[in-house]
Amino acid sequence: MRATLPPDALDATDRLLINRLQDGLPLTHAPFAPIAAEAGLTEAEVVDRIAQLREIGAITRFGPFLDAEAMGGAFCLCAMSVPAGQFDEVVTYVNELPEVAHNYERQHQLNMWFVLACEKAEQIAETAARIERETGLKVLRFPKLKEFFIGFRVEA
Amino acid sequence: MTLDATDRRILKATASGLPLTPHPFEEVGRWLFLPENEVIARMQAMQDDGVIRRVAVAPNHYALGMAANGMSVWDLDDPVAETLGARVGALAFVSHCYLRPRALPDWPYNLFAMLHGKTRDEVEAKRAEVAALLGDACRSHDILYSTRILKKTGMRLAGEG
């Protein structure tokens, strides 16, 4: 489990930066200029703060976020109800598939939740069917119909 | 959108992040022997087309004290699901929110919203807030806490382009 930062690790400016920087920067010669003006910092100071936030682990990454679907790929959230005695065996099989991007154990009758990421839409159904054949268990598919994304806000 | 070889080079070069300088696109241009304005124009075209969602930071929920998180799921009346989903997605403690098909009879829920809090009690309080917001339009709901990350790999770009 990753550690939580002490409550005084971030000041108000850090919190402002974390919140604003999730919304997306303009693609310009000086992308940090608007946020620097808002925070009352120079652009170099904003950059130093971001580097420091990454250093202490408050943020994990700064860069472009890609949409695999727009690139012609396909994603699908899937869930299975795996009996306890079979769990390790099914995890090993599912995790070995290159199409499986994330896999989480969750507290529920449906206890295994994973995301299939494929280059073509039809490979989602094929991969789910292969998992069903190999494990003898049903794979429920929950493709995204609509996304509402706002992000995550740090209390000011 | 069809990406050409140069687009792919830009995505590959920035896959692990942009350089932290006041002029990151100029620096990416230096890496790839491209003028800055071409890097910007290509990234803007990819963003306009949705290939790039945004250029932003990814917060670390755990480090920021949001150690508890649960996948809350809701069975909403179809006619109002979009409108209410957008309102749930706009809540500050919701990071991701999606409409998905139900899988009856195993799964009656069509709205998925990741809820974050410092503790599970806090997450439960937020779940109650969402329930109050949804009111009678929600027939039933549940929350699934993750107990283990079994696999986590980033998105991979196929081919060098």
Side-chain angles (χ1 to χ4, degrees):
Chain A
M1 182 63 79
R2 286 162 288 184
T4 295
L5 293 168
D8 60 353
L10 306 178
D11 65 17
T13 306
D14 292 327
R15 290 168 193 278
L16 173 79
L17 291 183
I18 290 172
N19 287 338
R20 290 289 185 279
L21 286 167
Q22 285 183 73
D23 294 335
L25 292 175
L27 305 179
T28 62
H29 175 65
F32 299 108
I35 195 170
E38 189 183 343
L41 301 172
T42 66
E43 291 164 64
E45 284 168 339
V46 169
V47 167
D48 287 346
R49 289 248 184 185
I50 297 171
Q52 179 62 19
L53 289 170
R54 203 169 54 179
E55 185 69 28
I56 64 173
I59 62 174
T60 52
R61 187 172 173 276
F62 162 64
F65 285 75
L66 306 184
D67 182 341
E69 280 171 11
M71 295 171 68
F75 266 57
C76 187
L77 177 68
C78 298
M80 294 170 79
S81 179
V82 185
Q86 216 182 325
F87 199 84
D88 289 349
E89 183 194 335
V90 174
V91 171
T92 305
Y93 171 72
V94 168
N95 282 3
E96 274 174 7
L97 297 171
E99 293 88 352
V100 174
H102 313 274
N103 191 3
Y104 286 86
E105 180 183 43
R106 293 192 181 275
Q107 266 175 350
H108 191 267
Q109 173 65 29
L110 290 166
N111 54 354
M112 189 182 291
W113 289 78
F114 54 91
V115 172
L116 292 179
C118 298
E119 283 189 41
K120 298 199 176 76
E122 59 267 28
Q123 292 168 329
I124 297 282
E126 288 164 14
T127 307
R130 193 173 351 128
I131 295 170
E132 290 189 331
R133 271 198 314 275
E134 284 294 324
T135 63
L137 301 170
K138 195 154 128 186
V139 175
L140 301 183
R141 278 177 280 153
F142 301 104
K144 177 172 81 183
L145 300 178
K146 174 109 192 169
E147 177 174 9
F148 312 101
F149 179 89
I150 297 296
F152 166 77
R153 296 286 171 264
V154 185
E155 283 166 34
Chain B
M1 172 175 191
T2 312
L3 302 178
D4 71 12
T6 306
D7 293 330
R8 284 180 168 273
R9 281 173 65 215
I10 293 172
L11 293 181
K12 280 239 155 199
T14 58
S16 58
L18 281 169
L20 279 176
T21 88
H23 309 298
F25 305 111
E26 191 177 67
E27 181 66 19
V28 171
R30 265 197 288 274
W31 295 347
L32 301 174
F33 304 102
L34 291 171
E36 179 190 30
N37 60 13
E38 183 174 352
V39 173
I40 288 175
R42 284 175 174 274
M43 288 185 75
Q44 188 67 57
M46 288 190 272
Q47 184 166 298
D48 292 345
D49 228 75
V51 168
I52 295 176
R53 292 162 177 267
R54 62 194 173 280
V55 171
V57 302
N60 178 346
H61 297 147
Y62 287 93
L64 295 170
M66 300 288 113
N69 59 81
M71 183 174 77
S72 71
V73 292
W74 309 82
D75 176 11
L76 295 187
D77 284 338
D78 288 319
V80 291
E82 277 210 23
T83 323
L84 289 173
R87 289 180 61 193
V88 172
L91 295 169
F93 50 83
V94 173
S95 65
H96 295 83
C97 188
Y98 302 99
L99 278 184
R100 302 183 185 278
R102 298 179 180 85
L104 298 169
D106 306 281
W107 186 260
Y109 311 108
N110 56 347
L111 185 77
F112 290 57
M114 288 301 307
L115 304 184
H116 299 271
K118 291 185 178 67
T119 61
R120 261 192 204 189
D121 283 350
E122 206 179 293
V123 173
E124 289 296 333
K126 287 167 175 174
R127 179 184 171 195
E129 253 182 77
V130 176
L133 169 79
L134 297 173
D136 292 343
C138 174
R139 285 178 287 258
S140 64
H141 55 99
D142 199 351
I143 189 162
L144 283 70
Y145 290 101
S146 63
T147 41
R148 243 192 314 167
I149 298 175
L150 303 169
K151 180 176 184 180
K152 189 162 190 168
T153 50
M155 195 197 135
R156 304 228 174 82
L157 274 180
E160 285 292 317

